[in-house]
Amino acid sequence: MDAAIVILDHLDNIREISRWDLWKRPEPVPAPDLPFVLEESSTKGMQMVARRSIQQGELIALERPLVVSRTDIAIAEDQSTTGVFYRAALSGLSAEKRRTFLSLCNSFGSEEERLVGILNTNCCTIPLAPSPSGIPTAYSGLFPTLCRANHDCAPNANFFFNPQSFTGQFHAVRPIAKGEEITVLYSELAASRQERRAELLQHYKFVCECKTCSLPPALAELSDTRRRAIGDLIPLMHQGTYADDMTIAHLDELLDWATIEGLYALYAELLVYGYGLAIKLDLHVQAQKWSRMAAAAFKILDGADSPRLN
Ligand SMILES: [Zn+2]
């Protein structure tokens, strides 16, 4: 049988996923006039490049995954078991899709462990909605075109998984010029250059040479200061709590810094956090302003189907 998608999961979950209504609808296909091309770069393997100017918020690419796996299976380290397991699972793909899979980069392991290496190199996290049967939310998907995009510490595109159409999507978070490389984030950005590079080296086996990582020392230090200040706030943002001395002015400054650093996803999250602070301080006009700005930002990041617009 030639499968369009291989899903690696417990049998109960697969049974439930196979009953989803979305499989009865036609598979979404990208517009014929794709705004990007894939090119071989001299230093980074394949790269995604804008073949025309792209507007902020524009859908750049969309595709269904070739493989979806529970994240705890995808990152399993028992290669002797998972190698056999993956070979069996991937044999269900059509010959063309298997060829596509095998053409992807493997930054980990030997040729023997190639299948697992390809998955660990190219998979990204996708949130599947929790279900009554207890489908866990941590899944990884392998998107054969989207995974060709390289990392940048100030990425110009955002990856969004749309559960309604079961597609991975890239949206432009700022205008992208013709000829510019289209980039996404692979790791935490609200950290110093040294921390980012260490994480990227450990997980993806490369030293980031992006524009932000290549700044001269004085500017790099300034960039680190801004990113650390935003990073320090993230635990509070996740908890939805506020330090007693947190002010609107300080959040305004952090929003400016997120913009300067090109951290658009964090900029949107800061707006939501700021909205909560303004409500807490009874500043309703400010709260409305940040709420509107957050909605606009999420529409740019994820498109009109963003669950964060609710
Ligand atoms: Zn970088």
Side-chain angles (χ1 to χ4, degrees), residues 153 208 210 213:
C153 294
C208 189
C210 79
C213 286

Side-chain angles (χ1 to χ4, degrees), residues 125-139:
T125 301
I126 55 172
L128 293 189
S131 73
S133 74
I135 291 182
T137 51
Y139 279 78

Side-chain angles (χ1 to χ4, degrees), residues 151-154 189 193 196-197 200 206-214 227:
H151 166 89
D152 193 289
C153 294
L189 298 175
R193 170 167 67 169
R196 297 194 308 271
R197 282 183 150 178
L200 289 164
F206 73 92
V207 175
C208 189
E209 301 287 355
C210 79
K211 216 165 142 187
T212 314
C213 286
S214 309
R227 286 175 186 242

Side-chain angles (χ1 to χ4, degrees), residues 9 41 77 101 105 114 147 178 198 215 248 255 260 265 274 300:
D9 201 343
S41 89
E77 302 216 335
F101 179 89
C105 174
R114 191 168 165 206
C147 75
K178 182 180 175 182
L215 288 170
I248 296 289
L255 284 164
I260 292 168
I300 286 166

Side-chain angles (χ1 to χ4, degrees), residues 5-308:
I5 304 176
V6 165
I7 297 181
L8 303 165
D9 201 343
H10 296 305
L11 194 55
D12 283 353
N13 287 345
I14 291 177
R15 284 200 183 112
E16 165 148 348
I17 290 170
S18 66
R19 284 198 292 265
W20 287 352
D21 279 348
L22 69 90
W23 308 121
K24 295 175 193 155
R25 299 194 289 270
E27 182 171 343
V29 288
D33 179 28
L34 290 173
F36 68 88
V37 286
L38 296 176
E39 290 177 358
E40 191 73 38
S41 89
S42 55
T43 52
K44 301 192 280 191
M46 294 295 280
Q47 59 181 6
M48 189 180 267
V49 176
R51 55 186 282 273
R52 58 165 170 79
S53 60
I54 301 171
Q55 293 173 14
Q56 186 185 41
E58 191 176 337
L59 177 68
I60 298 170
L62 144 159
E63 70 180 344
R64 281 200 169 150
L66 271 187
V67 180
V68 172
S69 173
R70 280 167 54 114
T71 300
D72 55 357
I73 299 177
I75 60 169
E77 302 216 335
D78 182 359
Q79 313 286 352
S80 58
T81 308
T82 54
V84 173
F85 174 63
Y86 277 120
R87 262 194 298 283
L90 295 168
S91 65
L93 288 172
S94 69
E96 188 192 344
K97 292 202 169 190
R98 261 201 316 275
R99 261 198 307 279
T100 302
F101 179 89
L102 291 170
S103 72
L104 297 173
C105 174
N106 168 21
S107 302
F108 300 89
S110 62
E111 189 57 23
E112 276 177 354
E113 296 154 358
R114 191 168 165 206
L115 298 186
V116 180
I118 288 174
L119 284 163
N120 281 336
T121 307
N122 297 286
C123 272
C124 55
T125 301
I126 55 172
L128 293 189
S131 73
S133 74
I135 291 182
T137 51
Y139 279 78
S140 296
L142 185 144
F143 299 86
T145 305
L146 303 187
C147 75
R148 301 291 196 177
N150 290 314
H151 166 89
D152 193 289
C153 294
N156 55 21
N158 181 59
F159 171 79
F160 167 60
F161 178 72
N162 185 334
Q164 290 168 31
S165 58
F166 213 79
T167 54
Q169 305 179 358
F170 281 174
H171 294 262
V173 300
R174 58 173 175 271
I176 300 174
K178 182 180 175 182
E180 198 180 329
E181 184 178 0
I182 294 162
T183 54
V184 289
L185 68 86
Y186 287 5
S187 90
E188 182 58 64
L189 298 175
S192 70
R193 170 167 67 169
Q194 196 181 5
E195 291 161 338
R196 297 194 308 271
R197 282 183 150 178
E199 197 192 327
L200 289 164
L201 187 60
Q202 186 187 348
H203 294 295
Y204 298 96
K205 310 294 174 204
F206 73 92
V207 175
C208 189
E209 301 287 355
C210 79
K211 216 165 142 187
T212 314
C213 286
S214 309
L215 288 170
L219 292 177
E221 205 173 306
L222 198 57
S223 166
D224 283 354
T225 303
R226 293 187 194 117
R227 286 175 186 242
R228 276 205 208 96
I230 295 168
D232 287 347
L233 207 58
I234 288 177
L236 294 181
M237 286 162 67
H238 288 166
Q239 292 160 18
T241 55
Y242 298 87
D244 290 340
D245 57 353
M246 174 65 67
T247 62
I248 296 289
H250 182 52
L251 259 180
D252 241 340
E253 184 173 49
L254 293 180
L255 284 164
D256 281 348
W257 288 357
T259 305
I260 292 168
E261 292 297 319
L263 307 178
Y264 198 81
L266 283 167
Y267 166 82
E269 287 178 32
L270 280 168
L271 285 168
V272 173
Y273 186 68
Y275 163 78
L277 178 67
I279 291 285
K280 183 171 174 270
L281 298 175
D282 273 338
L283 299 170
H284 293 281
V285 174
Q286 182 68 52
Q288 278 177 7
K289 179 183 158 193
W290 276 346
S291 169
R292 276 196 305 274
M293 288 168 69
F298 286 131
K299 201 169 170 193
I300 286 166
L301 284 163
D302 303 342
D305 287 340
S306 174
R308 300 188 286 189

